[in-house]
Amino acid sequence: MTDNRNVLFSFSISHFCEKARWALELAGIDYTETTMIPGKNARLAKRLNLAQRTLPIFRLEDGSVIQEAAQITDFAAEQTEHTLLHGSCDIEKRLELNLGGPIAFLFYSAVIADNPQDLRSVFRDGLSIGSSTLLYAIWPMVLRAMISGMQLGPKQAIESQNKILSELDWLDHQFSDGRKFLAGDAPGREDLTAAALLALLIFPKEHPTYRRFKLPDTLEDFRAKNSDRASIVMINRLYRDYR
């Protein structure tokens, strides 16, 4: 597989892919984004000799490959001194661990409960005509695989929401001394991580994908109830000023 360009393979809805996309853009790295159908990422990973099938995957023009949002952010940070790409890796790891999965579980459970066809539209965003047609044809199979593989449902949604609220409490506590960002007065990598991950529940209007969709009613209610949190205010400010 040869191609003389940088390519980011992604799911348009993925909050981890948003982190990688944002990092590359902050570093001024030219790339083409290839949006994938769920399932095709496994074949891509096999073709690139990767043990994990998760996205994002960033294939550089020289043929080398970087997988996972944190590693792609590492690469982007090597190209620039931009403050948003440098900071506390410990907080970054904590947020990815404590928020990454629960946010996805809550979002997908809510959309599937509200209107699974909306989820299909989200995954369709950015696809080629051929891939979009294929997604429509295999959507029932994709939906079943997601529900089964992620154990989506009301119980999962409640458990995930409780975990997210607990982590939001921890984030808010970091701002109790009056700081504007997690690391102090300047935004850092840990702020970028919080913003990219939580954007899936906030839908900031500056987001390149989410702004075209509507949050399910249950998540709209979640956003409204938590909009005054210091952490959420910071995230909206970060999107407004840096995205």
Side-chain angles (χ1 to χ4, degrees):
M1 186 177 190
T2 59
D3 196 342
N4 59 349
R5 55 182 181 161
N6 299 319
V7 181
L8 179 68
F9 296 95
S10 71
F11 294 134
S12 60
I13 191 62
S14 166
H15 47 349
F16 282 108
C17 292
E18 162 66 355
K19 177 180 175 180
R21 185 189 299 124
W22 195 350
L24 292 171
E25 292 173 8
L26 285 169
I29 298 171
D30 290 329
Y31 71 93
T32 299
E33 185 169 5
T34 297
T35 306
M36 307 205 76
I37 294 176
K40 279 197 170 184
N41 52 303
R43 278 174 277 178
L44 171 68
K46 182 178 181 180
R47 190 161 70 245
L48 294 175
N49 297 314
L50 297 172
Q52 301 296 322
R53 63 183 184 179
T54 55
L55 296 181
I57 293 172
F58 188 53
R59 192 196 65 214
L60 282 71
E61 57 186 1
D62 64 4
S64 57
V65 176
I66 306 172
Q67 191 174 28
E68 306 292 351
Q71 283 67 44
I72 295 171
T73 304
D74 286 341
F75 171 76
E78 293 171 358
Q79 320 303 315
T80 178
E81 294 299 318
H82 199 296
T83 178
L84 268 173
L85 297 180
H86 298 273
S88 172
C89 290
D90 288 339
I91 295 179
E92 174 188 29
K93 291 175 183 176
R94 175 191 172 115
L95 295 176
E96 288 198 342
L97 177 64
N98 292 350
L99 288 177
I103 287 173
F105 297 149
L106 176 59
F107 177 81
Y108 292 131
S109 292
V111 177
I112 287 172
D114 187 57
N115 186 353
Q117 303 313 315
D118 284 349
L119 187 58
R120 181 178 65 185
S121 297
V122 169
F123 274 107
R124 180 174 174 264
D125 187 65
L127 293 176
S128 65
I129 295 176
S131 293
S132 179
T133 301
L134 176 60
L135 180 63
Y136 268 78
I138 67 173
W139 180 246
M141 180 176 64
V142 170
L143 191 60
R144 287 195 299 271
M146 289 184 65
I147 294 172
S148 174
M150 299 175 72
Q151 299 181 339
L152 300 176
K155 181 180 178 181
Q156 173 74 288
I158 292 172
E159 292 176 352
S160 296
Q161 180 168 298
N162 289 338
K163 291 177 181 178
I164 294 166
L165 289 172
S166 177
E167 195 66 6
L168 285 176
D169 287 342
W170 180 84
L171 278 171
D172 288 344
H173 180 70
Q174 309 311 303
F175 294 97
S176 61
D177 60 0
R179 69 181 67 184
K180 294 182 179 179
F181 300 98
L182 289 169
D185 291 330
R189 180 167 171 160
E190 57 275 28
D191 300 291
L192 171 68
T193 301
L197 296 184
L198 281 159
L200 193 54
L201 301 182
I202 300 171
F203 270 34
K205 63 179 184 298
E206 296 85 2
H207 193 287
T209 298
Y210 304 164
R211 62 189 176 194
R212 294 195 286 275
F213 301 99
K214 182 180 180 298
L215 273 173
D217 290 342
T218 52
L219 294 186
E220 186 62 57
D221 183 59
F222 179 91
R223 175 168 68 172
K225 288 180 178 178
N226 292 282
S227 62
D228 292 335
R229 283 179 175 267
S231 53
I232 302 302
V233 170
M234 181 277 290
I235 288 167
N236 281 316
R237 184 170 65 246
L238 208 65
Y239 265 91
R240 183 194 66 208
D241 295 342
Y242 294 94
R243 198 72 177 96

